[in-house]
Amino acid sequence: MAGKIAGFIDGPWQSANLEKALGSKLAVAPGPSGPGGGFGPLVEPDGYYINANAADTNLATQFALQMDSQANEQIFADKGGHIPAINGITYTAPNNANPAISQGFANAYKTGFARPTVKQLDNYWTPFGKRARRGDRQGTAPASAVATACQQMDKANGF
């Protein structure tokens, strides 16, 4: 299987670009179950933070509520590939991507959990991204690749 990708992890925001590159070979599949149970992807929360010390917190709150309105959430789903967190949104294929791909991500989100918005997670993406991209090519066993990524993340976070 040299030079071929059997699978990778990405999100719905890449659907249109990946479909252009892979055509009918692109699909969304549930992740594997592990010793702790079923696969639970990180579900990226979109939200608004309001500074309690802002001059007009009411205006900021009104802006956030407007951005979270059903009409605007529909735009985020249609154009940005965001999986809506509110009822009443029709989740379709963003940026003209394949509806089956979009629905695959929407289904995956049902078993996911909200990605924490903590500073320590900033140090997750690089070590785990490198392990995912290089692990198989370097002949590294998956458990070893994950252990190395965890050690790098912990070191970067000062643990």
Side-chain angles (χ1 to χ4, degrees):
M1 203 160 107
K4 306 226 180 206
I5 297 174
F8 55 92
I9 298 172
D10 215 321
W13 52 88
Q14 286 286 9
S15 296
N17 291 332
L18 290 170
E19 190 171 12
K20 285 178 191 171
L22 299 172
S24 64
K25 295 179 181 177
L26 180 63
V28 175
S33 293
F39 184 74
L42 289 175
V43 177
E44 182 174 359
D46 289 330
Y48 301 92
Y49 299 91
I50 298 170
N51 184 339
N53 299 315
D56 193 345
T57 56
N58 184 53
L59 180 61
T61 300
Q62 293 305 312
F63 171 80
L65 289 171
Q66 179 60 35
M67 292 303 290
D68 281 340
S69 71
Q70 187 165 346
N72 283 325
E73 286 289 328
Q74 189 67 60
I75 292 169
F76 291 139
D78 291 343
K79 302 292 183 186
H82 292 247
I83 307 292
I86 62 174
N87 293 327
I89 303 297
T90 303
Y91 186 68
T92 58
N95 300 316
N96 299 315
N98 181 334
I101 301 299
S102 299
Q103 192 58 53
F105 279 114
N107 291 342
Y109 273 45
K110 292 175 185 176
T111 63
F113 59 94
R115 182 191 75 185
T117 51
V118 295
K119 182 177 179 7
Q120 291 81 5
L121 195 56
D122 292 347
N123 294 313
Y124 164 86
W125 305 110
T126 298
F128 280 89
K130 284 181 179 177
R131 297 289 83 69
R133 285 190 305 276
R134 296 182 189 161
D136 289 336
R137 288 185 295 197
Q138 294 178 346
T140 304
S144 177
V146 169
T148 298
C150 287
Q151 290 168 355
Q152 290 173 340
M153 180 180 68
D154 287 349
K155 182 178 179 182
N157 284 322
F159 297 143

